[in-house]
Amino acid sequence: MRRTVAEHQAAVAGLLRWSSGYDAGAPEILPLADALGRSLATDVPAPVSLPPFDNSQMDGYAVHAADLEDPSHLAVTDAIAAGSVPADLRPGTAAPIMTGAMLPTGAAAVVPIERAVPPRFHTAADLARPGAAVTVALPAGIPAGQYVRRAGSDIAEGATALTAGTLLGPAHLGLLAACGVGRVPVRPRFRVLLLSTGDEVAEPGTPLAPGTIYDANSTLLESALTEAGVAVTRHRLLGDDPAVLREALAGIAAGSTNLVLSTGGISQGAYEVVKQALADSSVEFSSVAMQPGGPQAHGTLSGIPFLGFPGNPVSALVSFEMFLRPALQQLTGLPAARPVLDAVLTEGLTSPEGKHQLRRGLFRGGRVALIGGPGSHLLRALAASNCLVHVPEGVDILQEGDRVQVTLMGPVPTDPFAVEDVLVLEDAEPASVTD
Amino acid sequence: MRRTVAEHQAAVAGLLRWSSGYDAGAPEILPLADALGRSLATDVPAPVSLPPFDNSQMDGYAVHAADLEDPSHLAVTDAIAAGSVPADLRPGTAAPIMTGAMLPTGAAAVVPIERAVPPRFHTAADLARPGAAVTVALPAGIPAGQYVRRAGSDIAEGATALTAGTLLGPAHLGLLAACGVGRVPVRPRFRVLLLSTGDEVAEPGTPLAPGTIYDANSTLLESALTEAGVAVTRHRLLGDDPAVLREALAGIAAGSTNLVLSTGGISQGAYEVVKQALADSSVEFSSVAMQPGGPQAHGTLSGIPFLGFPGNPVSALVSFEMFLRPALQQLTGLPAARPVLDAVLTEGLTSPEGKHQLRRGLFRGGRVALIGGPGSHLLRALAASNCLVHVPEGVDILQEGDRVQVTLMGPVPTDPFAVEDVLVLEDAEPASVTD
């Protein structure tokens, strides 16, 4: 059957949500340092306020509420270091106070040391000098609350610090640490069994027989899934025999995996092993209005979700980016959504009008250059790109200077724009490829 | 001494480049699956061409060079599956050929199956029917080379597949796999010894004494460094005693670490443990024209690079993002450079004119909302943001609708823009903080 990209995205998201058994998994409780990059399983309330107490934002003097108008002659008291509990502040006195130190009771504001006269803290020698009146003069009219960080001004005790589904990065873990939370419940990893099939593919590192190619898809998809926070098991099936594949699929135990993913063997050819093996199953073989990545398979096998991606490496990665990655994000909170940005095309392009075309591009400085042609076998071009360029259905031609949306997948170069210096790719293919 | 942001960036990058001993480290040789997210140590040439041989881009018929003009009546030969070595193609015949299968000698183009008459491959039954003339008619005037992927059109044998310093993502590892490369040399991890100091900080998970706070910086910086590909060792020093710190620093053996990083204790207060401990060393204590993160320390201790970040968590993370992260990227190839994007401010702001201010923001849909005020203790606001908003030196006020640059640090929300629904943060601090 024919589908739009949005229809197949919904189908894949629904398949994972309703059949993967993922929600049944218990959260893992991890120390903060091990929770980096994981998805929070539950809301976490703050067990303490942040800051926990009123404190100074500056190194300076704490001033009593009664002295804000005229602090021109204040007696200097003992200094307040961060980590200590200060004595109450009396009117007519000023307490040297360090950044982060607790504000003494009675104090209403802080004046930075550089605005004091003298503009430095007194030394032990100053204080020891016999008969010395240790005083300080501060500018008149200090605003109440100046340079005071109020207790709970960042977060109040009991308020939600982080919500379920948050992808835990350094700032989130830092916030939990600041709240005194040492361990955190995270969602379990989503588990994928990755199948590779086909007579024509050989393992990297082995000799290459004539007519065969190395298996790029297993490495490509295992890496993409791993980067997305998925636990991947690779299952290599040599041969194009549907019976062998059927037997392997029948042996997959429910509960051990959330998804079976295969590449290749789902197209219109005469030897399509996945299509043949699953001809009598409930798996649907669709033609999605997308280029590359048109042929797609999805369904369940003994209740376990199954996705079949096309066999060309670029098609497989685009299928992952367009269908599986967003579905994982919705279900598990991982991986992070990719930035989608506006960009100006540095050259024109053509696209089949009835398809959503995804070209590989190099985005920088608000502009995007196409890297390689539309061919779905161009792995080097894929490796040299940092984004997918969207040419929506209904658009068949774009000119240099036209605006497009790009999905950013890799680092953005910061040096001057010079794609042509970096990479000269020959690619004389027609644009009307269908794979 | 006073410095600009650019001057301190150059100082930190130079310190790491010339003193860290990082370049002396031998590459690690890893299987592809373990090399994800690492930086390539050397250029890698392609040991084979990609594709390795001329092959078909479609399921269809391979046509002889002599029949391109008039292919209206061709005898169908044996089909060519991917992975097999085909017999030579004779004039007057057409070979059913599958996507990725080797083009037979003599063939000059491929016609997709859907343009053939009949538009499907013959079955075994067709071929077995006695006396049946198995033929196919194809449209006249086939362009030479149509739907043929030429050997080497993605990359030629011996050409550079990837250059040293490439951050290895799925597409790069897929390209290496496609070339048959099973193991790859990567640069060693950069090693950081992370020191936390101060009487006022307690470990998360322990009780909190009055006046003290939990240590957020160790978790924050360990996570940020880990995410950046650094191997981190944490070294917790209780107390604010300069002698203890000096002793600990003296015990760090050269060769075991590329950088010692501390937070806190470098400002203008009366109890600045790092500053006091290193008063007689060659470490420089600078005031960088940046807010937050103004106080900075850098130098070497027994030849080992040392950086001191300020102690407020937001200041510490901003220091990492502005100084250490770019220096690591330049030296080691890790981590990926952050995207820097143009964005439209959804509200006005003020900034000290003589400083490069970095506010926390939430970027989406080309617009950026400020999250929290400029205060460097606002960790919850940091956790709710996904970018740093740059207000350059010389700018003291910006209005709603003004354009700014933002450094993207986290996922971009894809739902409609509604910051006010997500987060209501009270923050009444004045903008003129200096920490």
Side-chain angles (χ1 to χ4, degrees), chain B residues 150-232:
Chain B
R150 290 285 169 213
S153 57
D154 192 16
I155 188 167
E157 182 182 334
T160 302
L162 296 172
T163 52
T166 297
L167 200 171
L168 296 168
H172 309 102
L173 296 172
L175 174 60
L176 292 172
C179 290
V181 175
R183 298 170 73 81
V184 67
V186 302
R187 293 180 179 167
R189 291 201 185 279
F190 192 88
R191 286 161 298 159
V192 170
L193 182 69
L194 185 60
L195 281 182
S196 68
T197 64
D199 277 336
E200 77 278 25
V201 294
E203 285 293 315
T206 63
L208 198 61
T212 66
I213 57 171
Y214 287 112
D215 175 14
N217 284 343
S218 296
T219 298
L220 186 69
L221 285 176
E222 181 181 16
S223 302
L225 287 161
T226 301
E227 208 174 61
V230 168
V232 185

Side-chain angles (χ1 to χ4, degrees), chain B residues 61-329:
Chain B
Y61 285 99
V63 182
H64 196 276
D67 296 321
L68 296 179
E69 283 309 305
D70 179 15
S72 62
H73 189 86
L74 300 174
V76 174
T77 69
D78 287 344
I80 309 168
S84 65
V85 178
D88 292 359
L89 189 69
R90 283 170 292 112
T93 69
I97 189 166
M98 305 309 140
T99 303
M102 183 184 274
L103 211 69
T105 300
V110 171
V111 175
I113 184 66
E114 59 268 27
R115 296 192 201 156
V117 179
R120 58 176 181 77
F121 291 114
H122 294 84
T123 64
D126 292 342
L127 301 168
R129 199 173 309 138
V134 181
T135 62
V136 67
L138 302 175
I142 304 164
Q146 172 180 277
Y147 296 122
V148 174
R149 298 169 176 162
R150 290 285 169 213
S153 57
D154 192 16
I155 188 167
E157 182 182 334
T160 302
L162 296 172
T163 52
T166 297
L167 200 171
L168 296 168
H172 309 102
L173 296 172
L175 174 60
L176 292 172
C179 290
V181 175
R183 298 170 73 81
V184 67
V186 302
R187 293 180 179 167
R189 291 201 185 279
F190 192 88
R191 286 161 298 159
V192 170
L193 182 69
L194 185 60
L195 281 182
S196 68
T197 64
D199 277 336
E200 77 278 25
V201 294
E203 285 293 315
T206 63
L208 198 61
T212 66
I213 57 171
Y214 287 112
D215 175 14
N217 284 343
S218 296
T219 298
L220 186 69
L221 285 176
E222 181 181 16
S223 302
L225 287 161
T226 301
E227 208 174 61
V230 168
V232 185
T233 305
R234 272 165 77 154
H235 192 359
R236 176 89 184 94
L237 283 177
L238 285 165
D240 264 337
D241 184 342
V244 172
L245 179 58
R246 262 195 303 270
E247 196 178 331
L249 290 171
I252 298 164
S256 69
T257 188
N258 301 115
L259 173 71
V260 176
L261 176 62
S262 75
T263 58
I266 58 167
S267 193
Q268 306 304 318
Y271 310 98
E272 304 287 349
V273 61
V274 173
K275 208 172 196 173
Q276 290 166 14
L278 304 181
D280 298 326
S281 75
S282 64
V283 169
E284 287 181 56
F285 294 83
S286 314
S287 175
V288 177
M290 182 170 90
Q291 179 196 74
Q296 296 288 338
H298 81 288
T300 58
L301 298 170
S302 314
I304 302 172
F306 170 83
L307 289 181
F309 287 167
N312 274 306
V314 179
S315 307
L317 189 71
V318 166
S319 301
F320 170 76
E321 290 287 335
M322 294 294 288
F323 302 123
L324 183 50
R325 199 177 189 283
L328 287 170
Q329 210 280 325

Side-chain angles (χ1 to χ4, degrees), chain A residues 28-191:
Chain A
E28 296 176 47
I29 313 290
L30 298 180
L32 296 187
D34 296 339
L36 181 64
R38 300 294 292 270
S39 171
L40 195 59
T42 61
D43 288 1
V44 176
V48 295
S49 292
L50 291 183
F53 44 83
D54 291 359
N55 70 90
S56 177
Q57 191 178 329
M58 307 293 266
D59 298 320
Y61 284 99
V63 183
H64 195 277
D67 297 320
L68 296 178
E69 283 310 305
D70 178 15
S72 62
H73 189 84
L74 300 174
V76 175
T77 69
D78 288 344
I80 308 169
S84 66
V85 178
D88 291 359
L89 189 68
R90 283 170 293 113
T93 70
I97 189 167
M98 305 308 141
T99 303
M102 184 184 274
L103 210 68
T105 300
V110 171
V111 175
I113 184 66
E114 60 268 27
R115 297 192 202 158
V117 179
R120 56 174 180 79
F121 292 114
H122 294 85
T123 62
D126 292 341
L127 301 169
R129 199 173 309 138
V134 181
T135 62
V136 67
L138 302 174
I142 304 164
Q146 174 181 277
Y147 297 122
V148 174
R149 299 170 176 161
R150 291 285 170 213
S153 58
D154 192 15
I155 187 167
E157 181 182 334
T160 302
L162 296 172
T163 53
T166 297
L167 200 170
L168 296 168
H172 309 102
L173 297 172
L175 174 60
L176 292 172
C179 290
V181 176
R183 299 171 70 82
V184 68
V186 302
R187 294 179 179 169
R189 291 202 185 279
F190 192 88
R191 288 160 298 160

Side-chain angles (χ1 to χ4, degrees), chain A residues 57 149 154 429 433 435, chain B residues 57 149 154 379 429 433 435:
Chain A
Q57 191 178 329
R149 299 170 176 161
D154 192 15
E429 281 186 287
V433 295
D435 56 348
Chain B
Q57 190 177 329
R149 298 169 176 162
D154 192 16
L379 251 179
E429 280 184 287
V433 296
D435 56 348

